[in-house]
Amino acid sequence: MSDRIRSDDSDPGLARLTVDLGALRENYRRVADVGSRTAAVVKADAYGLGAVRVVEALCREGCRDFFVATESEGIAVRAGTRDSNIFVFSGPPNDRSAAAMVRHALTPVLNDEKQLQRWREHRETPVAVHVDTGMHRLGFDHAAVSRAMFDGFNVAVVLSHLACADDPAHPMNNLQADRFEAIRPLFPNALGSLANSAGALTGIESDMARAGIALYGGNPFSTRPNPMLPVATLEALVVALRTVPKGQPIGYGGTYTTPQATRIAVLGAGYADGIPRGLSPDARVAFRSHRLPVVGRVSMDLLHVDASGVEAGIALGDWVEVFGHTVGIDETAAWAGTISYELLTRLGSRVQRFYTGQ
């Protein structure tokens, strides 16, 4: 994806994200083919890829269950799909929110007794219940829940969240699965939802799996190769080219010094666009399948690349891949000491989004 900008483009921007909706749908199929009813987690604007377009694509694939983090996210998703189930992880923080969720046909995930009481006047409206089986974040304590607590409530889904599913051999997975199975009889008419992306792909049983990072091309495992197709490609425009003599500092703080005369390409993206400032010296970007080192500190709007290896082929107006098909998103995340989830959700608003593979 290194086509040069055309002179008639009125506002090409300096950074762009291309979202392959065909790959997204294939990733959904790979999770759904395991056998469970599969929901899509589309919180944080579908991990930065654009919730409306992602939901539209997944609806065409047959997905009818979506999870968001907040009421406002749920309302935004509801505008794009009338007949889907939209679950709100945070539950209703107040009475106004509870009424709004009813009005917009959103299903709250109740996390504690205050939320349970807040929903009491709407108890005939479907609700989900979150039970904490060991993550100690949100949810009712698995050892303290009883059937009587939910008498009269229309509990459609009971769920929990796996803490260590990215490592299938971790003993926490079996412990949480056992705890979850122990509370399932308390909710005889509810779907059980325990498996996330990694859990579904490793066979953790759920009536409803919740696919998240796997949909967007990130590796759901920390100990296995990535089984998913890349979906998001982040590119930045070459805005300057210069040959810097040997022994010269590059960028803020002069943290990198040229070992010899070096062809430097300056790219029009930086940490304001979501490229982590703390990229390690091992970080690479790609130009026409060539991996190029990132040199010096990432600044707010720009970053430097050693383009000596492609000096004859790179020019102003070319697009350089920050992550995508040649440089995997998980590679870039590792060079920044983070995970693909964070890279995607930190993408800035000035990064233009484009969609392919309808």
Side-chain angles (χ1 to χ4, degrees):
M1 292 187 178
S2 56
D3 296 334
R4 297 183 184 178
I5 280 292
R6 301 189 311 271
S7 61
D8 61 345
D9 283 335
S10 58
D11 182 19
L14 302 181
R16 68 185 184 189
L17 183 77
T18 302
V19 179
D20 184 344
L21 296 175
L24 172 86
R25 293 171 66 181
E26 171 60 25
N27 286 342
Y28 177 82
R29 288 192 292 269
R30 291 184 182 187
V31 179
D33 283 350
V34 174
S36 297
R37 175 172 170 175
T38 302
V41 181
V42 295
K43 60 184 179 176
D45 198 25
Y47 290 40
L49 273 59
V52 172
R53 296 298 296 271
V54 165
V55 168
E56 288 174 350
L58 292 176
C59 282
R60 290 196 296 273
E61 199 57 44
C63 182
R64 289 296 178 267
D65 301 294
F66 298 95
F67 281 81
V68 297
T70 65
E71 171 201 333
S72 60
E73 288 183 348
I75 292 171
V77 171
R78 174 58 73 208
T81 174
R82 294 185 177 182
D83 59 351
S84 296
N85 303 308
I86 301 174
F87 300 89
V88 182
F89 277 127
S90 64
N94 51 50
D95 292 338
R96 182 215 56 81
S97 180
M101 290 183 187
V102 173
R103 189 164 60 252
H104 293 280
L106 306 178
T107 303
V109 177
L110 303 184
N111 294 286
D112 54 46
E113 291 193 26
K114 286 186 177 180
Q115 291 188 351
L116 181 66
Q117 295 310 314
R118 197 169 289 138
W119 196 254
R120 184 166 294 280
E121 68 175 285
H122 312 293
R123 58 187 175 274
E124 294 182 1
T125 304
V127 73
V129 171
H130 183 183
V131 177
D132 176 21
T133 56
M135 195 167 185
H136 301 294
R137 194 171 61 174
L138 296 178
F140 294 86
D141 184 344
H142 72 96
V145 294
S146 68
R147 182 177 297 186
M149 293 169 61
F150 304 95
D151 279 349
F153 286 81
N154 182 4
V155 180
V157 176
V158 58
L159 63 91
S160 192
H161 197 79
L162 294 168
C164 303
D166 60 316
D167 179 3
H170 199 289
M172 190 70 176
N173 296 319
N174 287 335
L175 175 63
Q176 288 191 266
D178 289 344
R179 288 173 172 173
F180 190 67
E181 284 305 307
I183 60 95
R184 286 295 309 282
L186 303 178
F187 305 93
N189 300 317
L191 294 174
S193 179
L194 178 64
N196 55 7
S197 294
L201 292 168
T202 52
I204 290 179
E205 292 187 5
S206 285
D207 300 319
M208 177 194 290
R210 305 188 305 273
I213 193 61
L215 297 179
Y216 309 112
N219 192 349
F221 301 111
S222 60
T223 58
R224 296 183 181 183
N226 190 355
M228 315 314 295
L229 296 177
V231 171
T233 299
L234 178 64
E235 297 169 290
L237 198 70
V238 178
V239 298
L241 285 165
R242 61 194 64 228
T243 299
V244 178
K246 177 182 178 180
Q248 295 299 304
I250 298 292
Y252 282 118
T255 58
Y256 178 85
T257 301
T258 52
Q260 64 263 332
T262 305
R263 188 66 166 167
I264 294 292
V266 182
L267 307 185
Y271 58 76
D273 304 293
I275 299 174
R277 184 175 181 271
L279 281 177
S280 78
D282 296 324
R284 296 291 187 270
V285 295
F287 177 72
R288 295 177 183 168
S289 78
H290 297 279
R291 287 176 167 242
L292 309 178
V294 175
V295 295
R297 287 180 179 163
V298 176
S299 55
M300 184 180 291
D301 313 305
L302 304 163
L303 73 156
H304 297 85
V305 171
D306 180 350
S308 302
V310 292
E311 183 174 348
I314 197 167
L316 293 176
D318 279 334
W319 289 99
V320 174
E321 177 189 295
V322 178
F323 58 74
H325 287 266
T326 303
V327 176
I329 187 172
D330 295 290
E331 288 185 278
T332 302
W335 289 323
T338 186
I339 54 177
S340 56
Y341 305 70
E342 185 176 6
L343 281 190
L344 290 176
T345 57
R346 287 180 57 184
L347 291 171
S349 59
R350 67 187 183 187
V351 176
Q352 296 194 31
R353 272 73 166 171
F354 298 91
Y355 296 88
T356 63
Q358 303 290 337

